[in-house]
Amino acid sequence: MKGKIGLEEHFAIPETLGDSERYFPKDVWPRFSAKILDMMNIRIEEMDQYGMDMMILSLNSPAVQAICDPARAVYVAKKANDAMAEAVAKNPRRFRGFAALPMQDVDEAIKELHRAVKELGCVGALVNGYSQIGDEDTYRYLDDPIYEPFWAEIEALGVPFYMHPRDAMPCNTHMVDGHPWLVGAAWTFGVETATHTLRLLCSGLFDRHPGLKYILGHLGETLPFCIWRTQSRIARERRGIPAKRPLYEYMAENFWFTTSGQFRTPALWNTIMEFSSSRVLFATDFPFEEVSDACLWFDGCAMGDRDKMLIGRQNSIDLFKLAGL
Ligand code: ZN
């Protein structure tokens, strides 16, 4: 399929590049680092080769969220957003961007969100899970009441929020002690991100802000598969949960799901069957995944032309109001 739009497509700046190094063997790193730093030729060549019209760019992980000093987190977020805006300005037909946000300081996060959307033209925000604040052992999830003004602001702006994975805190990964191969994208990313999302769902966030648009990658970080059971058990024993409605209903109304790093047709159909093809969007997870793997899988995926056009392109145009495409 030609004209695909991808929306989990990462870049790095020198200040955040090192965060990705641990995920790659030494011999692969030079090729990978050249790809993630590039916002021009390498990227566009791959997009052209595999039928991608546009990438919606976002910073690598954990980047800003792991910078304990709030002032430096603000500095790096702004620098990354400026670099991304420059790339978008050079190639507006090929790129848009998600803002990186310094969630360590709520007021600054709101200010940067505003600047990124109103001045830089960002089409949403992408945050890499919880943020570390002050020191490495102090961290805050986004259901903390301190973030209420942030959620109000992003709802008012009407732009989507993308919850992207990061590694869980070491104190939360005892279940994989002695199994380092399960750390990161192989397993713990998904557990961490699904759990963070459940915290938000259960907190009543979507009762207070019914207009929020919330995106999950990796076909929903297992939640489309699991949510029926989670809801079924909560309904039997509510234990004071603040959310007023069944969790599934918020997901149906407020959530979108991308194919990033999950190039598996039965998993795709599970997400479509739960939430419909109008809520699923194409993404690769560049350069952690190969554009060729994502595109060749999606192009050959057994589904009707209409669904393929929705997922590959039209849903993104509608969600991000991509005028002129
Ligand atoms: Zn990613």
Side-chain angles (χ1 to χ4, degrees):
M1 172 191 162
K2 286 199 183 347
K4 292 186 289 296
I5 298 171
L7 60 155
E8 194 184 310
E9 320 300 331
H10 301 298
F11 71 96
I13 58 173
E15 286 84 350
T16 66
L17 178 64
D19 285 16
S20 298
E21 194 166 359
R22 80 189 93 144
Y23 300 116
F24 290 91
K26 276 198 165 37
D27 57 326
V28 179
W29 178 243
R31 179 177 166 266
F32 175 86
S33 56
K35 279 176 81 168
I36 199 166
L37 287 168
D38 171 83
M39 284 195 272
M40 187 68 88
N41 297 336
I42 301 175
R43 209 174 278 256
I44 291 174
E45 217 168 274
E46 287 202 32
M47 291 163 69
D48 286 345
Q49 194 176 349
Y50 294 101
M52 286 183 78
D53 249 12
M54 178 176 277
M55 281 189 174
I56 302 184
L57 304 170
S58 53
L59 194 58
N60 59 327
S61 177
V64 177
Q65 268 58 68
I67 300 173
C68 302
D69 172 10
R72 182 158 172 81
V74 173
Y75 167 79
V76 173
K78 285 185 172 176
K79 196 169 174 205
N81 292 336
D82 286 343
M84 182 257 292
E86 204 181 309
V88 173
K90 280 184 193 151
N91 273 298
R93 285 202 56 79
R94 310 309 298 273
F95 300 128
R96 292 288 196 282
F98 285 109
L101 296 177
M103 302 306 288
Q104 290 83 347
D105 182 327
V106 185
D107 292 340
E108 289 294 334
I110 292 171
K111 263 196 243 169
E112 183 57 11
L113 172 67
H114 240 273
R115 186 183 81 96
V117 172
K118 295 292 185 189
E119 294 174 29
L120 302 181
C122 286
V123 294
L126 181 143
V127 170
N128 295 312
Y130 62 89
S131 290
Q132 284 157 291
I133 305 170
D135 62 77
E136 285 197 350
D137 298 324
T138 305
Y139 57 101
R140 191 181 281 143
Y141 281 98
L142 294 173
D143 58 299
D144 191 301
I146 201 173
Y147 289 117
E148 202 53 30
F150 168 77
W151 292 116
E153 192 61 36
I154 199 161
E155 182 187 30
L157 285 168
V159 293
F161 176 93
Y162 200 128
M163 176 66 87
H164 185 273
R166 66 172 294 188
D167 277 324
M169 288 291 292
C171 60
N172 290 335
T173 52
H174 294 308
M175 68 180 124
V176 294
D177 280 353
H179 293 257
W181 39 83
L182 292 177
V183 172
W187 185 247
T188 55
F189 268 16
V191 175
E192 171 66 28
T193 312
T195 306
H196 196 165
T197 297
L198 285 170
R199 290 177 65 120
L200 293 168
L201 282 165
C202 296
S203 74
L205 175 69
F206 297 95
D207 292 316
R208 296 189 297 279
H209 303 289
L212 283 178
K213 298 170 184 172
Y214 188 91
I215 307 173
L216 278 173
H218 313 103
L219 288 174
E221 313 288 359
T222 71
L223 287 176
F225 186 83
C226 298
I227 197 64
W228 183 89
R229 175 165 163 79
T230 303
Q231 179 55 47
S232 156
R233 299 311 305 182
I234 288 174
R236 289 187 202 194
E237 195 175 359
R238 291 185 58 80
R239 302 180 193 173
I241 181 174
K244 293 193 177 86
R245 299 165 61 196
L247 305 184
Y248 180 93
E249 291 186 14
Y250 304 119
M251 292 180 72
E253 289 176 19
N254 299 88
F255 279 42
W256 283 258
F257 307 91
T258 80
T259 64
S260 60
Q262 266 285 24
F263 314 137
R264 179 71 179 155
T265 305
L268 172 68
W269 276 108
N270 171 251
T271 307
I272 292 173
M273 287 172 76
E274 289 288 0
F275 296 106
S276 96
S277 57
S278 64
R279 293 303 179 110
V280 180
L281 308 116
F282 177 74
T284 74
D285 213 346
F286 175 98
F288 299 90
E289 304 286 348
E290 299 296 332
V291 167
S292 54
D293 290 342
C295 291
L296 293 174
W297 163 73
F298 182 72
D299 291 353
C301 212
M303 69 171 72
D305 289 347
R306 181 180 169 275
D307 280 343
K308 198 165 278 192
M309 186 53 76
L310 284 176
I311 294 169
R313 179 178 172 86
Q314 192 60 44
N315 290 340
S316 290
I317 292 175
D318 296 342
L319 182 60
F320 297 106
K321 304 182 177 78
L322 300 174
L325 282 187

